[in-house]
């Protein structure tokens, strides 16, 4: 058995967009291309990542389900919340966050835990009805001012529809549109949205983040309609990108297995880069080297050295290091993963 290359390619692409989006975020507002790419990326990259996560979700199917989720998601959250606090306080001169106020990217771990819990009930509802209900809840939750960034509650409900869509969708459904006609249409649609974003970025950033109520965003009268419109746009973009992802195995495809490492670790590097002002944009074309740096960062954080020495932090075990020391001397190699 082999891993499904399509999903490793998809996860690798989406984690690249996560890193690239975070890298260009400080430059946003100064250059038109940075603004356009930032909006274009944020419309779809988190919904797409959530959808892929939902595809591999199974719901509660064993007595140890919650225990496994806690070890896989909550323990790394607690550890990296501490690490990020140290980075923010001592390196970036930022503020200390409590455990219920996730630092930056760590919201995803709390929400992913919650999505798995919600799935226990939602998987009992017919797919269309459940997805429709999830979108309705996600759009209405913005009217509740007490639900916001704390415990990542707002984002949990806002992005849950994509997790549920991923759970219900099959590989055959994803692959049936992978033909030239739909791929050309997808390229055209994505290109048009990029041009529109370049000419007039118009979507509020906080709306794309999904972490605040309509009152907090000063969108009480327009927030509901705006979120519904953004939902529609995000769905179209997500599936347009999924149609274009190749099923071919490349030399770098295996890096898609390690997106959690990249997701948790890249924030530390980017905070250091931002604090020291190591990267700056002087013109629109400087976006290109930033994209190259983003790709290099993904490759580095997926490298065998980083995987080996950070596995205890992220997975709570040291099997890679043990394998390295057990009869292998100092030679580090990629460990063969079990197929999904």
């Amino acid at each position: 058995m082999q891993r499904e290359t399509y999903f490793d390619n998809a996860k690798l692409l989406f984690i690249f967009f996560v890193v690239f989006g975070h890298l260009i975020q400080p430059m946003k507002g100064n250059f038109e291309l940075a603004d356009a790419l930032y909006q274009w990326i944020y419309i779809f990259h988190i919904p797409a990542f959530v959808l892929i996560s939902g595809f591999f979700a199974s719901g509660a199917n064993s007595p140890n389900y919650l225990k496994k989720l806690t070890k896989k998601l909550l323990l790394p959250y607690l550890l990296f919340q501490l690490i990020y606090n140290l980075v923010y306080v001592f390196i970036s001169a930022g503020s200390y966050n409590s455990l219920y106020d996730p630092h930056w990217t760590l919201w995803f771990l709390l929400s992913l835990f919650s999505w798995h819990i919600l799935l226990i009930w939602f998987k009992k509802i017919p797919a269309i009805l459940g997805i429709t209900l999830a979108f309705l809840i996600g759009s209405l939750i913005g009217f509740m001012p007490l639900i916001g960034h704390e415990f990542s509650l707002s984002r949990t409900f806002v992005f849950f529809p994509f997790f549920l869509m991923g759970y219900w969708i099959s590989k055959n459904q994803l692959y049936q549109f992978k033909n030239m006609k739909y791929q050309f249409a997808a390229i055209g649609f994505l290109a048009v949205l990029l041009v529109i974003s370049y000419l007039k970025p118009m979507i509020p950033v906080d709306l794309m983040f999904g972490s605040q109520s309509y009152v907090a965003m000063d969108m009480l009268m327009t927030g509901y309609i705006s979120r519904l419109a953004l939902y529609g746009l995000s769905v179209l973009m997500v599936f347009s990108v999924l149609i274009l992802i190749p099923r071919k195995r490349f030399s770098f495809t295996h890096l898609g297995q390690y997106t959690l490492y990249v997701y948790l670790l890249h924030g530390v590097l980017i905070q250091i880069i931002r604090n020291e002002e190591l990267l700056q944009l002087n013109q629109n074309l400087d976006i290109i080297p930033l994209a190259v740096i983003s790709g290099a960062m993904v490759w580095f954080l997926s490298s065998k050295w980083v995987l080996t020495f950070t596995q205890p932090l992220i997975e709570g075990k040291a099997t890679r290091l043990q394998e390295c020391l057990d009869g292998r001397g100092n030679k580090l190699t990629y460990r063969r993963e079990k197929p999904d």
Side-chain angles (χ1 to χ4, degrees), residues 71-283:
K71 181 179 179 181
K72 182 179 179 180
L73 299 174
L74 293 189
L75 291 183
Y77 168 78
L78 294 174
L79 180 58
F80 275 86
Q81 182 76 346
L82 174 61
I83 292 173
Y84 271 74
N85 272 325
L86 294 176
V87 171
Y88 272 75
V89 173
F90 294 105
I91 297 179
S92 303
S95 59
Y96 175 88
N97 279 25
S98 61
L99 290 179
Y100 61 82
D101 188 14
H103 265 301
W104 201 22
T105 60
L106 298 183
W107 70 267
F108 190 83
L109 294 180
L110 286 183
S111 288
L112 186 55
F113 179 86
S114 300
W115 293 327
H116 278 275
I117 301 303
L118 287 172
L119 187 59
I120 295 175
W121 295 283
F122 270 83
K123 71 176 185 177
K124 300 175 183 178
I125 305 174
I128 298 299
L129 178 60
I131 293 171
T132 301
L133 179 61
F135 274 118
L136 181 62
I137 294 173
S139 57
L140 292 176
I141 206 72
F143 288 112
M144 303 183 68
L146 296 181
I147 294 183
H149 188 264
E150 291 78 10
F151 294 106
S152 191
L153 281 179
S154 179
R155 279 169 162 159
T156 294
F157 290 110
V158 168
F159 291 114
F160 179 64
F162 297 98
F163 187 84
L164 195 58
M165 289 173 66
Y167 172 77
W168 284 115
I169 202 167
S170 67
K171 285 193 292 186
N172 290 336
Q173 290 173 322
L174 283 175
Y175 294 161
Q176 67 178 334
F177 296 105
K178 291 182 67 62
N179 57 59
M180 294 295 290
K181 179 179 69 173
Y182 288 108
Q183 287 176 334
F184 276 121
I187 292 172
F189 176 68
L190 293 171
V192 167
L193 282 181
L194 181 58
V195 171
I196 293 174
S197 295
Y198 182 83
L199 295 176
K200 190 176 179 59
M202 65 189 82
I203 303 176
V205 172
D206 289 334
L207 186 66
M208 293 189 290
F209 287 172
S211 60
Q212 298 186 44
S213 68
Y214 298 143
V215 171
M217 293 187 290
D218 197 23
M219 296 181 66
L220 183 59
M221 302 303 296
T222 60
Y224 178 74
I225 299 301
S226 297
R227 178 157 290 165
L228 287 178
L230 182 59
Y231 270 148
L233 196 57
S234 297
V235 169
L236 291 175
M237 284 194 73
V238 167
F239 284 99
S240 293
V241 174
L242 290 175
I243 287 172
L244 297 174
I245 292 173
R247 297 177 64 181
K248 176 183 176 181
R249 176 171 291 277
F250 300 96
S251 60
F252 49 78
T253 295
H254 65 282
L255 300 180
Q257 303 173 46
Y258 311 114
T259 52
L260 181 60
Y261 283 77
V262 180
Y263 190 85
L264 290 175
L265 297 172
H266 84 281
V268 176
L269 295 182
I270 288 183
Q271 285 303 319
I272 295 174
I273 290 172
R274 290 182 180 182
N275 185 64
E276 300 299 327
E277 298 182 351
L278 299 178
L279 297 175
Q280 294 183 359
L281 279 178
N282 296 313
Q283 57 179 333

